[in-house]
Amino acid sequence: MTGITTDTRVLCHYMRQECINHKHSYDRNHPVGRLINLLKLKMQVCTQRYDRRPYGVGLLVAGYDDQGPHIYQTCPSANFYDCKAMAIDCNLSDLINHGVRALTGTLPNETKLNNKNLSICVVGKNYKFHCLDENELEKYIIAEIVGTQPTSSASDSSEVGVGRTERHGEEQSSTLNPQDPTPVESATEDRRMQ
Amino acid sequence: MMSNNGVNFAPFWHNGPAPGSFYNFPQNNIKSNSAIDEYGFQRNGGPITTGTSIVGVKYDKGVIIAGDKLVSYGNLARYHNVDRVFKINENIILGMSGDYADFQFIKQYIDEIILSDFSADDRIVLKPKDLYTWLTRVLYNRRSRFNPLWLDMVVGGMQGEEPFLGHINIRGRSYTNDVISTGYGTHLALPLLREYSEKGPLNEETAQQLIQKSMEVLFYRDCRGYPKYSQANINANGVTVSDHEVKQNWDLALSIKGY
């Protein structure tokens, strides 16, 4: 989430409430798209009433249901975007490394990612929602620091990483492939070799 | 009802009159579980027009649910061309027994769910376990308010690849099994069904024969039974609802003295 944390609490509580009620009534997990529709309506109401203000929150909602993985981005304007990030033949650690690299790009110059300002959560097929703990985060942060050291192979690897997703962008929808994260060293090596 | 799309606006006032309906001034002796509504005091006193037993059998690739085509009005065999087995969607079939009016009431809500699935147009379809759980919650809730929907329902269908068969009773007690029966079927048909289903896995043909035999027994022995019955068969190929008739053999009657 980004934005007003107290507004986020309200929305998260609402989503949790809806999910648990749905689970109680239907004994199935709330389909992500339907939950987002409910959230959308809730957020839109306060953009139309004169006595309410919009929820000052931008959310990135990720989930997995029968229809596959989903990512939704939300705005205070109650516009919702169904996002796709495509990856083929990418294992979990590669995807996370890519995400961490994207995040470092958004940081101001002096700030570095550490396990206090970074959190990573994963959900997928046969993979319950799981937030990475400090040790696992360290692995990816170190990989990122190692990766940005100014060697030519490292810069090649970053291009290859981006190129891979762009090239295959149109073909398949994303699959979070939950293999165990390969040891950090071999993951960065693989990319350098290509 | 679902017509509000799940959004409820804050009411303008609380504990006051609702426009267009009777207003009961606050009294101290109204119990919270009483069934007072805008038409006065009403509570389900018992079933009026009723359907008798339903029989359901799960086989290796699907489910068959059958029930006769009679809705009785007490002792009177009042409506005898009524299907008590329904296709709900491509995954679900439902058989009802008990009060037919209560079923029509709940069927409206089920139809609404199916319709809203269709209009959401997001390829999410209701599965049999979902409907089964939902019905349990509704019936249990009504029973807890001492105002039951007088129904015994059998839900069957394809839960993904696997066949599913479950029973929900008037008090909101539900269970799943390979063979299910309601009403007199529990006494007359269920022992027969259990004997054959426990011998080994059934295929479609043996399941059909079992159903046929059960409906025969039920017609002969249940006084509210009827020889015509309808049957819904669901498997990976889809749903077929078909009409059948019990082959009646009354030769026995000739051997009865005084007949």
Side-chain angles (χ1 to χ4, degrees):
Chain A
M1 53 78 51
T2 66
I4 305 176
T5 42
T6 42
D7 282 1
T8 319
R9 278 197 59 239
V10 170
L11 291 178
C12 283
H13 180 259
Y14 174 74
M15 286 199 281
R16 283 178 175 154
Q17 200 65 34
E18 286 301 316
C19 282
I20 212 159
N21 287 339
H22 192 96
K23 179 77 177 174
H24 181 68
S25 297
Y26 297 97
D27 196 17
R28 71 175 177 189
N29 293 319
H30 206 141
V32 184
R34 302 249 172 119
L35 177 65
I36 293 294
N37 270 328
L38 290 170
L39 187 62
K40 210 193 293 199
L41 279 172
K42 185 177 169 67
M43 290 180 79
Q44 192 276 335
V45 167
C46 41
T47 63
Q48 199 167 354
R49 289 178 72 118
Y50 72 94
D51 56 349
R52 305 275 297 273
R53 64 157 176 83
Y55 286 96
V57 185
L59 292 174
L60 209 56
V61 181
Y64 185 88
D65 59 21
D66 284 346
Q67 311 289 308
H70 300 274
I71 306 179
Y72 291 92
Q73 181 201 340
T74 82
C75 299
S77 59
N79 279 323
F80 277 58
Y81 306 99
D82 187 355
C83 307
K84 285 184 186 162
M86 324 268 198
I88 286 190
D89 201 25
C90 214
N91 63 24
L92 182 61
S93 61
D94 281 347
L95 280 172
I96 296 181
N97 279 318
H98 195 70
V100 172
R101 202 174 325 116
L103 274 175
T104 40
T106 66
L107 292 172
N109 278 333
E110 290 78 38
T111 333
K112 293 243 180 330
L113 279 180
N114 53 45
N115 59 13
K116 293 278 183 283
N117 60 14
L118 173 68
S119 63
I120 300 175
C121 299
V122 183
V123 64
K125 184 173 184 171
N126 301 326
Y127 206 81
K128 266 182 83 165
F129 180 80
H130 165 60
C131 275
L132 301 186
D133 64 20
E134 285 189 9
N135 299 328
E136 290 162 316
L137 281 179
E138 280 301 320
K139 276 193 246 167
Y140 289 106
I141 292 167
I142 290 168
E144 177 50 29
I145 296 170
V146 166
T148 51
Q149 258 152 36
T151 62
S152 53
S153 50
S155 57
D156 285 342
S157 72
S158 59
E159 272 157 37
V160 168
V162 171
R164 189 187 324 166
T165 42
E166 277 172 12
R167 247 202 320 270
H168 299 291
E170 260 63 69
E171 287 166 36
Q172 273 187 30
S173 59
S174 67
T175 50
L176 284 167
N177 207 332
Q179 298 166 18
D180 286 336
T182 52
V184 159
E185 299 75 30
S186 63
T188 47
E189 258 162 40
D190 284 343
R191 272 181 276 122
R192 262 181 248 134
M193 276 191 251
Q194 291 167 45
Chain B
M1 302 257 286
M2 287 120 213
S3 46
N4 238 358
N5 286 320
V7 177
N8 292 313
F9 296 110
F12 287 110
W13 60 79
H14 297 272
N15 305 322
S21 61
F22 287 121
Y23 174 59
N24 294 312
F25 288 95
Q27 295 170 31
N28 289 334
N29 54 357
I30 289 193
K31 298 185 198 113
S32 57
N33 67 354
S34 70
I36 293 182
D37 61 11
E38 51 269 19
Y39 303 106
F41 189 88
Q42 277 192 50
R43 171 156 292 166
N44 196 335
I48 310 288
T49 38
T50 54
T52 181
S53 352
I54 290 280
V55 171
V57 171
K58 201 189 328 187
Y59 59 93
D60 56 358
K61 296 207 171 67
V63 180
I64 304 181
I65 296 181
D68 62 33
K69 292 178 69 123
L70 178 68
V71 167
S72 318
Y73 188 65
N75 284 339
L76 172 67
R78 177 79 177 84
Y79 307 99
H80 24 98
N81 207 15
V82 178
D83 273 348
R84 292 189 298 116
V85 194
F86 300 85
K87 169 185 172 179
I88 303 293
N89 66 17
E90 288 309 315
N91 301 331
I92 313 178
I93 50 177
L94 178 72
M96 68 68 65
S97 69
D99 188 277
Y100 199 68
D102 282 348
F103 176 71
Q104 285 175 323
F105 171 76
I106 199 115
K107 180 78 168 28
Q108 252 187 321
Y109 285 94
I110 298 174
D111 287 342
E112 260 192 50
I113 296 177
I114 302 302
L115 194 64
S116 66
D117 273 354
F118 175 78
S119 50
D121 200 19
D122 52 5
R123 286 172 285 133
I124 295 172
V125 279
L126 200 66
K127 296 232 179 78
K129 182 129 95 63
D130 311 343
L131 182 65
Y132 162 83
T133 313
W134 182 81
L135 283 170
T136 321
R137 298 269 64 84
V138 170
L139 260 57
Y140 180 76
N141 196 289
R142 290 287 302 245
R143 154 268 200 202
S144 302
R145 291 165 201 255
F146 291 96
N147 190 11
L149 288 166
W150 211 283
L151 291 171
D152 267 296
M153 285 190 281
V154 179
V155 176
M158 298 307 288
Q159 183 78 13
E161 304 295 313
E162 290 299 309
F164 175 92
L165 183 62
H167 174 241
I168 310 113
N169 84 347
I170 181 184
R171 292 180 200 87
R173 184 274 286 132
S174 54
Y175 76 103
T176 55
N177 203 356
D178 293 340
V179 289
I180 299 269
S181 199
T182 70
Y184 263 94
T186 33
H187 303 110
L188 300 168
L190 208 49
L192 177 72
L193 292 169
R194 282 184 179 157
E195 190 188 327
Y196 281 89
S197 71
E198 277 160 18
K199 275 195 191 142
L202 297 167
N203 59 28
E204 187 169 350
E205 208 188 299
T206 41
Q208 287 268 26
Q209 287 165 358
L210 249 187
I211 293 271
Q212 224 165 316
K213 188 71 193 165
S214 312
M215 297 311 292
E216 206 181 300
V217 170
L218 285 171
F219 167 63
Y220 283 132
R221 291 297 182 179
D222 179 2
C223 286
R224 302 284 172 268
Y226 198 70
K228 292 205 180 81
Y229 68 92
S230 57
Q231 167 183 303
N233 186 347
I234 185 168
N235 51 35
N237 302 330
V239 182
T240 25
V241 182
S242 48
D243 284 346
H244 301 259
E245 185 149 359
V246 166
K247 281 198 255 320
Q248 306 179 42
N249 185 348
W250 293 104
D251 290 346
L252 173 72
L254 299 169
S255 64
I256 295 175
K257 182 177 175 180
Y259 175 68

